[in-house]
């Protein structure tokens, strides 16, 4: 019954996920096409400028250069928006994966508690003094006496005692992994470590999340930064340089 509740809640939470993913993918495809078309126009304009630069007046040269620069900046904005959409899509899916892991951990913990209650109820029921229980107790005592008599008679046979010791050690070895699984809690799943192969960014050396901005310095060693780590709330207009690159530029 509990499994059905968890499953129903999870399915309700991801009901709109396919539509959101499709919308993000369509937006990324549209931005990619816009950036590609703009890049083609920019390349054509740059070639025309290079072939006729000797015959163009100085004022027209400045106009052509400003136009090429403006088109490059627009293409960069398209690329940045596409990266932001990709990050949002990743976080959207990762949120549902974490929720599923947490639900599975809680469900497993409830199953273990239910098994413990059933075992306790069975032990308490078997300890009640009834004619049937008293009969079973007498039978157990008779079996123990018979086994004890046999063990006294076979005391000179060490092979049988050795096999019992091996069986006990094997059974104890088999129980250890089961106990380790039962002691898992929901927080163990939520505190799972981040993938060590995932790259880190920003001054905080963390993985990508939320809104991020790229440094316009091509030689920047970090490249990408979280908005909150560099004190941004909105995307700035024009070029943006990280604190380290800004300090180096001021020194020059």
């Amino acid at each position: 019954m509990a499994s059905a509740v968890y499953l129903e809640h999870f399915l309700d939470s991801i009901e709109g996920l396919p539509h959101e993913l499709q919308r993000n993918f369509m937006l990324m495809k549209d931005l990619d096409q816009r950036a590609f078309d703009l890049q083609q126009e920019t390349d054509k304009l740059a070639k025309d400028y290079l072939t006729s630069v000797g015959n163009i007046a100085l004022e027209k040269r400045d106009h052509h250069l400003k136009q090429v620069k403006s088109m490059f900046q627009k293409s960069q904005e398209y690329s940045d928006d596409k990266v932001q959409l990709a990050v949002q899509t990743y976080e959207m899916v990762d949120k549902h994966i974490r929720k599923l892991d947490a639900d599975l951990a809680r469900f497993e913990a409830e199953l273990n508690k239910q098994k413990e209650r059933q075992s306790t109820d069975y032990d308490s029921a078997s300890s009640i003094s009834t004619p049937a229980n008293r009969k079973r107790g007498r039978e157990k005592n008779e079996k123990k006496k018979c086994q004890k008599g046999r063990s006294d008679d076979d005391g000179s046979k060490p092979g049988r005692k050795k096999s019992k010791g091996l069986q006990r050690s094997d059974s104890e070895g088999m129980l250890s992994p089961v106990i380790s699984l039962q002691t898992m809690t929901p927080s163990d799943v939520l505190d799972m470590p981040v993938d060590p192969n995932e790259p880190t960014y920003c001054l905080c050396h963390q993985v990508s999340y939320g809104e991020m901005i790229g440094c316009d310095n091509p030689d920047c060693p970090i490249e990408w930064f979280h908005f909150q780590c560099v004190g941004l709330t909105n995307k700035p207009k024009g070029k943006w340089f990280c604190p380290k690159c800004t300090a180096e530029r001021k020194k020059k």
Side-chain angles (χ1 to χ4, degrees):
M1 186 64 181
S3 60
V5 174
Y6 281 116
L7 180 60
E8 183 178 356
H9 288 172
F10 182 73
L11 292 177
D12 290 340
S13 66
I14 63 172
E15 183 177 1
L17 182 62
H19 299 289
E20 295 177 0
L21 292 177
Q22 184 178 10
R23 180 180 63 85
N24 285 4
F25 289 145
M26 292 297 294
L27 289 174
M28 284 190 285
K29 183 178 179 181
D30 181 61
L31 289 172
D32 195 21
Q33 186 64 39
R34 289 184 184 181
F36 179 77
D37 294 340
L38 189 58
Q39 183 180 1
Q40 295 293 325
E41 295 178 8
T42 307
D43 292 341
K44 183 179 178 181
L45 185 62
K47 289 179 181 179
D48 294 341
Y49 172 76
L50 293 175
T51 54
S52 60
V53 65
N55 302 324
I56 301 177
L58 184 60
E59 294 180 357
K60 290 186 178 180
R61 289 183 188 179
D62 294 337
H63 175 71
H64 277 285
L65 289 176
K66 289 181 180 179
Q67 190 175 1
V68 172
K69 184 178 180 181
S70 176
M71 295 174 72
F72 269 120
Q73 290 178 349
K74 191 65 177 177
S75 179
Q76 180 67 37
E77 290 179 2
Y78 288 153
S79 300
D80 292 342
D81 291 341
K82 181 182 176 183
V83 171
Q84 293 296 332
L85 274 175
V87 172
Q88 291 176 5
T89 304
Y90 171 81
E91 291 180 347
M92 187 188 307
V93 177
D94 184 65
K95 179 184 69 175
H96 291 289
I97 292 176
R98 288 179 176 273
K99 184 178 184 304
L100 178 61
D101 291 339
D103 288 343
L104 288 175
R106 284 194 291 267
F107 178 57
E108 184 178 1
E110 289 182 3
L111 283 180
N112 292 333
K113 289 181 180 179
Q114 186 176 1
K115 289 179 181 179
E116 291 177 358
R117 285 196 298 268
Q118 290 178 352
S119 176
T120 304
D121 294 341
Y122 176 78
D123 293 339
S124 60
S126 60
S127 62
I128 299 175
S129 179
T130 60
N133 290 338
R134 286 195 296 269
K135 183 178 180 181
R136 282 196 295 268
R138 286 193 299 270
E139 291 176 354
K140 288 182 180 179
N141 292 331
E142 291 176 359
K143 287 182 179 180
K144 288 182 180 180
K145 290 179 181 179
C146 293
Q147 290 177 356
K148 184 176 181 181
R150 290 176 184 175
S151 62
D152 293 339
D153 295 338
D154 299 336
S156 60
K157 298 179 181 180
R160 187 171 298 176
K161 290 184 179 180
K162 185 177 182 181
S163 64
K164 288 182 181 179
L166 291 173
Q167 290 175 359
R168 187 180 300 109
S169 62
D170 292 341
S171 63
E172 291 173 358
M174 292 175 64
L175 286 174
S176 58
V178 177
I179 295 173
S180 62
L181 287 175
Q182 290 179 349
T183 55
M184 181 180 290
T185 61
S187 60
D188 294 334
V189 177
L190 293 176
D191 295 335
M192 291 176 64
V194 179
D195 186 358
N197 296 322
E198 188 171 356
T200 57
Y201 306 93
C202 192
L203 301 173
C204 62
H205 301 290
Q206 298 294 328
V207 297
S208 62
Y209 64 87
E211 292 186 313
M212 300 185 69
I213 186 170
C215 181
D216 286 322
N217 182 10
D219 298 326
C220 181
I222 302 177
E223 296 183 356
W224 290 96
F225 301 83
H226 304 110
F227 269 33
Q228 58 269 31
C229 292
V230 292
L232 294 178
T233 56
N234 297 315
K235 181 180 177 182
K237 295 182 179 180
K239 290 187 176 182
W240 179 86
F241 297 93
C242 69
K244 290 187 178 180
C245 294
T246 302
E248 292 179 359
R249 286 167 62 89
K250 289 182 178 179
K251 292 180 181 178
K252 296 179 180 180

